[in-house]
Amino acid sequence: MHIFLIVGSLFSVLHFSDGDPRKSGRYQPPKPRFEIFDPQGLIVWINADPGISSFTFHGKLNQQFVQYYDVGQWAQTISKIKNGRYLFIDREAKLVPGDTIYYRTVIVRNGQTYRTNAGSFTVQELRPAATQSPMPASGIAPRSATSGPFPYEASAPNERRTKDVRSTATQTDDYEDRAKKGCVNGFSTVNGRKACDGEILFEDDFNGKILNMQNWRMENRFASDPDNEFVVYADFKENIKLQNGHLAIRPTLFEEKFGPGTTSKQYRFAEECTGHRSSRDCIRDTKIDFDMIPPVLTAQITTINSFRFTYGRVLIRAKLPQGSWIFPQLYIIPATNFYGPDSYDSGLMRVAFVPGGPRFRNQLSGGLIVSEGEPLRCSKMCTLTRNIHWSADFHEYGLKWTPEGVWMEVDGEVYCMINPGNGFYKDIQSSKPEIANLWRLSGTRMAPFDKEFYLGLGVGVGGHYDFHNFEGKPWKDLGVKAIYTFWNARDRWYPTWNVNSTMFIDFIRVYGV
């Protein structure tokens, strides 16, 4: 699907499918409704209109969202319909008139994603806990005033009322229930709840006909700081699809899709942009940037809206992409910028990295990134050298993350352990003292790898830092015209791209630890 606005003398929209209401403007996602209870309790809901498959609510009390990746104190994806509605419930929330809830929502309808990034609701009055809703949805039978404080739910007489809550503040009951059945206490949490050691926390085997959009968000944005890969992430069928039980992601040329010379114009994403609006994430102007539009189209998907976890074992069976300056993105990404938004101050984990070109293709790397540039960037990465071409076949890549350290593995073999020692802050103390102090004072010895992270899968090309030590690279890492010089050398690298330039992922699983 086409998602750009092309800017020449006037803004004009590329051809959009008439069947996509998101592009034609016919569909507007519903605003959530709020009900506040006395003495405590909060319900946020939307009607389960035809086509809607999930509703995600992120909320903060009396505090606006500042960072894009801030998920808020309330965070839940609801995919189960109760009496005709998608309900977010927090029975412990205590609010008073005058409180303001700032919120973001994500609604998936007919496979398309719709976001509200700047909503707010101010509490005017509280409902007595045992009254019915003043706003019944069509076809919903009223509940008895004695049936409990939260309408719309049909519970068994002895069912625990907090069992289905997925807010970070209240979800502990299902863990307690599982603990009674032999669950071993673990370190992992999922979306704020406790998890059992060995429990499958997340799984996708990509066996369906279409990507499960309740699990994944499709990234629609330009690559940006700090790595500034030479790509545009978008949801074009040429770049991402499910194929023979695998997720397939491949890079293609921007001008092959939009025509010769289109990389020298201005482009902006429409409402689907998943980056910071009115920033270089969503718009590029060659007159302002002094460089061209990134010349490569590719894809990246993440679980930012559905699955966030702390500690776990991630396994990915994949065949990595080949071709000069192509690389895999098997990422574990910080869910918030708790330790800072810049230069990987909040960290990044790589499950596997192998450059797609002929150099170093026998070297598998994985581990932690703690800064954008060398020598710190790869100081916590591990490398396994074998007499094989890692990208020539499928392998099972793994990363085990605990409060004691990180273990890297491939095909069941652990090849490295990354020990925090007295704290990762010691590694950056001399070069980034302010961030080092933040890690030391505000986190554990695992900081910044002691907060919630989420999964990311994609394919990148080029960029400022990943090919730092490569000879013959046709650009300077921080060159003002880096993309331009890379593009001008396409006769040298593009002939190496072929059918093997596609990354195939068989499955991804996350286990509790």
Side-chain angles (χ1 to χ4, degrees):
M1 88 190 55
H2 297 176
I3 49 162
F4 296 110
L5 295 178
I6 303 182
V7 181
S9 57
L10 295 172
F11 290 112
S12 61
V13 183
L14 289 177
H15 171 70
F16 292 142
S17 168
D18 292 337
D20 187 348
R22 179 179 56 166
K23 304 301 190 299
S24 65
R26 290 194 296 268
Y27 180 73
Q28 294 294 327
K31 291 184 178 180
R33 301 188 185 186
F34 293 77
E35 297 182 44
I36 316 300
F37 293 86
D38 184 15
Q40 64 189 47
L42 164 68
I43 293 179
V44 184
W45 58 272
I46 63 170
N47 284 329
D49 295 335
I52 295 179
S53 57
S54 71
F55 165 59
T56 299
F57 174 74
H58 297 273
K60 300 180 74 172
L61 181 60
N62 297 324
Q63 185 179 4
Q64 297 189 40
F65 288 89
V66 177
Q67 301 295 338
Y68 176 72
Y69 292 112
D70 190 351
V71 296
Q73 72 184 77
W74 293 294
Q76 179 185 357
T77 296
I78 304 100
S79 57
K80 184 178 180 181
I81 299 173
K82 291 188 177 182
N83 292 333
R85 293 175 175 176
Y86 290 102
L87 299 163
F88 168 82
I89 300 174
D90 184 351
R91 294 171 181 79
E92 307 300 324
K94 295 182 179 180
L95 295 91
V96 298
D99 280 342
T100 297
I101 298 174
Y102 294 93
Y103 66 87
R104 294 170 171 173
T105 65
V106 182
I107 294 173
V108 177
R109 177 180 181 270
N110 295 331
Q112 306 298 332
T113 302
Y114 304 86
R115 294 174 179 80
T116 299
N117 289 323
S120 65
F121 170 83
T122 300
V123 179
Q124 301 294 333
E125 59 182 1
L126 305 181
R127 287 183 52 203
T131 63
Q132 298 173 15
S133 168
M135 300 176 291
S138 176
I140 298 179
R143 289 173 55 92
S144 165
T146 61
S147 61
F150 294 95
Y152 325 127
E153 292 190 284
S155 302
N158 296 322
E159 182 180 3
R160 297 181 68 100
R161 290 191 175 274
T162 56
K163 185 173 182 180
D164 289 328
V165 176
R166 290 294 182 269
S167 78
T168 58
T170 62
Q171 187 185 16
T172 58
D173 294 345
D174 56 351
Y175 173 79
E176 294 170 359
D177 292 341
R178 286 176 288 130
K180 295 176 182 178
K181 299 177 182 178
C183 164
V184 178
N185 189 9
F187 297 113
S188 300
T189 66
V190 178
N191 297 337
R193 70 171 176 86
K194 296 180 181 179
C196 304
D197 185 9
E199 175 188 358
I200 294 182
L201 309 181
F202 180 91
E203 182 176 25
D204 200 331
D205 58 13
F206 304 108
N207 282 330
K209 294 183 179 180
I210 60 174
L211 190 65
N212 184 349
M213 299 309 293
Q214 293 185 29
N215 285 346
W216 302 101
R217 180 180 83 172
M218 192 77 66
E219 295 299 312
N220 289 304
R221 59 180 176 83
F222 295 98
S224 56
D225 293 336
D227 286 357
N228 289 287
E229 312 93 279
F230 305 152
V231 304
V232 182
Y233 298 109
D235 56 349
F236 293 117
K237 63 182 180 180
E238 297 92 342
N239 302 109
I240 183 168
K241 61 183 176 180
L242 297 189
Q243 179 179 326
N244 300 324
H246 300 126
L247 172 67
I249 301 177
R250 66 184 287 259
T252 60
L253 297 185
F254 191 96
E255 292 194 355
E256 282 186 352
K257 186 170 188 66
F258 297 111
T262 51
T263 52
S264 62
K265 298 183 179 181
Q266 183 193 83
Y267 285 83
R268 68 168 63 198
F269 276 90
E271 293 300 314
E272 294 78 13
C273 186
T274 54
H276 295 278
R277 297 292 176 86
S278 302
S279 76
R280 295 183 74 251
D281 292 350
C282 302
I283 183 171
R284 292 292 171 92
D285 187 338
T286 57
K287 295 180 180 179
I288 297 174
D289 291 326
F290 302 105
D291 208 341
M292 61 186 293
I293 302 298
V296 178
L297 288 171
T298 185
Q300 186 185 83
I301 57 175
T302 71
T303 64
I304 185 172
N305 290 328
S306 62
F307 175 74
R308 296 166 292 110
F309 71 111
T310 305
Y311 306 122
R313 180 175 178 237
V314 179
L315 290 180
I316 304 174
R317 185 174 185 269
K319 182 179 182 295
L320 304 183
Q322 302 177 37
S324 293
W325 316 119
I326 300 175
F327 64 92
Q329 298 173 329
L330 307 183
Y331 288 164
I332 306 174
I333 305 167
T336 69
N337 291 322
F338 182 88
Y339 294 108
D342 303 321
S343 306
Y344 296 120
D345 293 341
S346 293
L348 178 73
M349 290 183 263
R350 275 185 155 163
V351 180
F353 176 87
V354 177
R359 299 195 64 212
F360 305 118
R361 62 185 181 180
N362 65 331
Q363 295 184 4
L364 166 67
S365 299
L368 312 178
I369 293 182
V370 296
S371 186
E372 78 276 34
E374 301 297 352
L376 288 176
R377 181 182 178 91
C378 293
S379 62
K380 297 301 175 183
M381 293 282 288
C382 304
T383 298
L384 176 65
T385 302
R386 290 276 174 83
N387 190 27
I388 61 173
H389 182 183
W390 286 105
S391 300
D393 205 347
F394 278 90
H395 294 277
E396 189 174 288
Y397 303 100
L399 182 151
K400 182 180 178 181
W401 169 37
T402 81
E404 303 302 318
V406 172
W407 287 258
M408 304 307 304
E409 61 182 275
V410 60
D411 297 328
E413 173 191 348
V414 175
Y415 65 90
C416 179
M417 189 270 180
I418 305 169
N419 191 330
N422 292 325
F424 288 128
Y425 75 90
K426 288 181 173 292
D427 297 287
I428 67 167
Q429 208 161 22
S430 60
S431 59
K432 302 168 72 174
E434 297 87 356
I435 300 301
N437 282 336
L438 183 60
W439 292 3
R440 179 175 63 88
L441 298 174
S442 300
T444 68
R445 67 192 187 112
M446 283 294 293
F449 304 100
D450 57 353
K451 304 300 179 185
E452 284 190 322
F453 281 65
Y454 61 92
L455 304 172
L457 303 174
V459 171
V461 176
H464 284 177
Y465 297 107
D466 276 320
F467 298 94
H468 177 70
N469 293 322
F470 280 61
E471 296 179 0
K473 182 175 59 181
W475 75 92
K476 294 182 179 180
D477 281 347
L478 298 177
V480 176
K481 293 283 188 178
I483 298 178
Y484 179 79
T485 55
F486 168 76
W487 177 241
N488 275 354
R490 61 189 177 277
D491 289 344
R492 292 157 50 190
W493 51 261
Y494 188 57
T496 70
W497 294 17
N498 51 44
V499 293
N500 292 319
S501 299
T502 301
M503 179 174 72
F504 293 100
I505 297 180
D506 184 21
F507 64 76
I508 179 169
R509 296 173 187 147
V510 183
Y511 296 87
V513 295

